[in-house]
Amino acid sequence: MTTTTERAYDHADLPRLMGLMTGAEKHGPAATSTLDALWVLYDRVLDVTPERMDDPGRDRFLLSKGHGPMAYYAVLAAKGFLPVEWLEGFGAYDSPLGHHPDRVLVPGVEIGSGSLGHGLPLAVGTVLGLKARGYSEARVWVLVGDAEMDEGSNHEAVAYAGPAGLEQLHVLVIDNASASYTRPGGIAARYEAAGWSAETVDGRDHEALHAAFTAPHPGRPRVVVARVEPKEYAGEPKSA
């Protein structure tokens, strides 16, 4: 549970916080698929708080999944990174909360994202930068969608990070059966083949998520595949 200047928020409040965000192009179902995993990360795993957003030794979370901002904003608001009042303006012309996060406008956001396939390569570069500066304890997490793994830039990042032994790197793949070209159930195996530590869990089970997020993986990057219910497309393109 998180206490802000307004009130205390917990996981049960997240649907209501998401409900404050109205307007077109919300991508609500795709965002909801990330909600449990995001909450466990921010509530129990990530070493970062609103007071430590500028601490160079903080953990970093990078949202790469293009259709995930609604849940991300709800969690950031619940954790006190941004005012809850901002949520009602989601997607408006004069709102800092765009359909894709902007690191300059939104407190707690590490990268400007939206173009699928960019987040994982950026996470690799972030780890390399932290290592070069001597911050060997700071962890980097990046959330990607299963369909996003079709992007070639992700293949290159996965192939590099395993042999490079980037232990500070963690990838969370939300698998809602959106991918067009990936063999069902084959995501973890793909990472393992490149030398990663990998685990597939129920993306709605908080204890299973926490155990997977905190499992030791010495000398190897870590990927957790969180499987959730298949997305109902209703004509929406399979992209994230």
Side-chain angles (χ1 to χ4, degrees):
M1 181 175 293
T2 299
T3 300
T4 69
T5 55
E6 300 173 348
R7 54 153 292 180
Y9 293 95
D10 58 24
H11 177 261
D13 292 300
L14 295 180
R16 183 183 69 80
L17 294 176
M18 285 185 65
L20 297 175
M21 290 176 269
T22 60
E25 299 182 11
K26 295 190 299 180
H27 301 298
T32 302
S33 69
T34 73
L35 207 54
D36 293 276
L38 271 175
W39 178 257
V40 173
L41 272 178
Y42 271 90
D43 192 51
R44 303 171 61 183
V45 178
L46 291 174
D47 183 17
V48 63
T49 64
E51 297 74 27
R52 295 184 57 235
M53 286 188 290
D54 296 323
D55 182 348
R58 71 190 181 280
D59 287 349
R60 272 79 166 170
F61 173 81
L62 282 57
L63 178 70
S64 188
K65 181 178 169 65
H67 292 172
M70 281 186 69
Y72 187 31
Y73 294 152
V75 170
L76 288 176
K79 288 296 176 183
F81 287 87
L82 57 90
V84 170
E85 290 79 9
W86 285 13
L87 299 178
E88 296 181 10
F90 168 71
Y93 176 77
D94 58 351
S95 171
L97 305 184
H99 292 295
H100 299 299
D102 186 326
R103 70 178 184 86
V104 176
L105 299 178
V106 186
V109 170
E110 298 283 357
I111 61 169
S113 60
S115 297
L116 301 181
H118 285 189
L120 181 47
L122 284 171
V124 169
T126 301
V127 170
L128 293 174
L130 288 169
K131 288 170 65 70
R133 296 171 63 195
Y135 296 110
S136 59
E137 300 300 318
R139 297 166 298 177
V140 177
W141 283 85
V142 57
L143 188 154
V144 304
D146 61 324
E148 186 179 359
M149 288 306 302
D150 291 341
E151 299 288 340
S153 52
N154 282 330
H155 289 272
E156 295 179 10
V158 171
Y160 172 82
L166 300 186
E167 185 178 339
Q168 292 168 255
L169 177 62
H170 304 76
V171 175
L172 168 60
V173 182
I174 301 296
D175 183 1
N176 63 356
S178 294
S180 299
Y181 306 111
T182 301
R183 176 175 62 84
I187 298 174
R190 192 162 128 200
Y191 279 83
E192 287 179 319
W196 290 58
S197 167
E199 185 172 352
T200 300
V201 298
D202 180 347
R204 300 302 186 191
D205 185 330
H206 289 202
E207 294 307 316
L209 286 165
H210 181 258
F213 291 163
T214 56
H217 49 97
R220 294 192 291 168
R222 173 75 168 168
V223 62
V224 176
V225 181
R227 302 185 78 172
V228 297
E229 59 279 1
K231 179 181 173 185
E232 295 293 335
Y233 296 102
E236 186 176 335
K238 296 171 71 174
S239 63

